[in-house]
């Protein structure tokens, strides 16, 4: 695979495109933001007038889009990838969408003899810029193997999880765990702080035992320093929890902690923290407890 | 400090007494289980007929009891420590009780010029046997310093957290975080497994990112191996979450995730998993989803 198309030139798509260029791939881009397209063309990218036109020129197309509807439009719309791609084309969707959308895209594209991988990523803008994303992939194993050089160009690793949808199931379950684990930390540290325990000392002590977590390691210092710059915005996590809640609904699986975490993020968004880091949810609890968790 | 009394010769108290003996302390014990007392006396311990009698013979008394009421009885009852201990005696309570009980005991004992530390532990029976407990201590700093050799004899470390109650606030907040983090993991992995993702692979992948936790590290292998032997029983965690819910109530602090975690453990207890490890709560979700998270 040499010529790669990229649809979705946002916060993530642009640095991913640059990583592919740096690794020596030829890329073709298409998007509404002409200045972003122009910048990439100046760096050597080709351009296309529509996803169909782009697909016609490529061996693989990477999509990095904000929501299910955008993916469905780009793949199956009148000017979509399905209507331009040659048989044998591989579509790699790194958007976070529902597994049912992933499965449906795989089926639609199969009608055109086009291959599909759901390949959502963990990591956000800084990891995209540093080519340190992790890809979590569902689809046919041999297609995954063929695309590995692309994942390596944009990230630090990739994991093959199983058939179509397995990547998105893993991603959404992962984010469900992250969000609830964050709420766990927030409820505990606000309670301790209100009880008079020094928050920094609290984090130091609990990080040595069974209560430790990636959320405490990542968000603890941000909270103590009152740094709510979004590494991962509240509104984005809220969106992912909505997708996770939908799949639990399809499974008839009660997920009370997921539901609570989602409602807490909704409260945070209602209070104006949607574009701040997801750890800004602690400010809701701090207001209720009338205590601040800081250094 | 040379002569240490121990009240509460249960799963934890007995190995803690043995650790003190091994470290060269003289110990005096008192308890209802005569065979346990006899075993310790054979190893060199002195014995007493009541907490008051025991306190009279000692420089420090360690209490390791199952609930607030037992601590209150042993400390302030007619035959209690307060009525036997000499001025300057130090009472170290390693039971997990509410901070309000810790503060009340400190006040009652102060009337008799007896010092008090709340010093709950993290770690359970295996850590008690191996003298690898961690003590989380509230009270006067200089009293904590005097008692450090005792903590070192029974554990791998101790943390001074602040004034009376700070040890119990930290412990209960810590366990709140552990319990919710466990539920986070359980909801996520059951969803992934129901979606067709291999659970062992799922754990491997998520353990490398922000969803990682001590709960996944500790309970993941147990769940995969269907090993529900109690390292920490569901009923005990349920009790601790009850104490945590009480302190949140006193603070007027909404803790929806704590409430949900507690209800989930209540469901597990209702289904007969009270004496199994707290991770047996996953069996509730597995039944709902009709899927088993195993190797």
């Amino acid at each position: 695979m040499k010529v790669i198309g990229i649809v979705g030139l946002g916060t993530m798509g642009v640095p991913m495109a640059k990583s592919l260029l740096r690794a020596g791939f030829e890329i073709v881009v298409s998007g509404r933001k002409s200045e972003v397209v122009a910048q990439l063309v100046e760096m050597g990218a080709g351009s296309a007038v529509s996803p169909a036109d782009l697909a016609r020129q490529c061996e693989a197309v990477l999509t990095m889009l904000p929501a299910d509807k955008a993916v469905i439009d780009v793949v199956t719309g009148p000017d979509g990838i399905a209507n331009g791609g040659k048989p044998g084309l591989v579509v790699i969707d790194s958007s976070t969408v529902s597994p049912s959308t992933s499965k449906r895209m795989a089926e639609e594209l199969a009608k055109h003899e086009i291959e599909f991988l759901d390949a959502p990523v963990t990591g956000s803008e800084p990891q995209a810029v540093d080519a340190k994303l992790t890809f979590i992939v569902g689809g046919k194993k041999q297609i995954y193997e063929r695309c590995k050089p692309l994942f390596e160009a944009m990230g630090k690793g990739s994991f093959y999880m199983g058939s179509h949808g397995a990547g998105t199931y893993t991603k959404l379950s992962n984010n469900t765990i992250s969000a609830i684990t964050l709420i766990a930390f927030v409820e505990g540290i606000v309670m301790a702080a209100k009880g008079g325990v020094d928050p920094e000392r609290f984090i130091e002590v609990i990080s040595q035992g069974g209560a430790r977590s990636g959320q405490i390691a990542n968000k603890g210092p941000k909270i103590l320093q009152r740094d709510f710059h979004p590494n991962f915005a509240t509104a984005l996590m809220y969106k992912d929890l909505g997708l996770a809640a939908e799949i639990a609904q399809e499974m008839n699986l009660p997920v009370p902690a997921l539901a609570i975490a989602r409602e807490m993020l909704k409260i945070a968004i209602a209070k104006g923290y949607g574009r701040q880091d997801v750890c800004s949810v602690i400010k809701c609890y701090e207001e209720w407890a009338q205590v601040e968790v800081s250094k």
Side-chain angles (χ1 to χ4, degrees), chain A residues 1-6 20-21 24-28 44-46 58-59:
Chain A
M1 285 181 184
K2 191 71 193 147
V3 188
I4 316 298
I6 298 155
L20 288 173
L21 275 176
F25 290 96
E26 289 174 33
I27 70 167
V28 181
C58 297
E59 295 156 88

Side-chain angles (χ1 to χ4, degrees), chain A residues 64-78:
Chain A
M64 191 59 171
L65 295 157
D68 291 53
K69 194 183 170 304
V71 172
I72 294 166
D73 285 352
V74 159
V75 173
T76 65

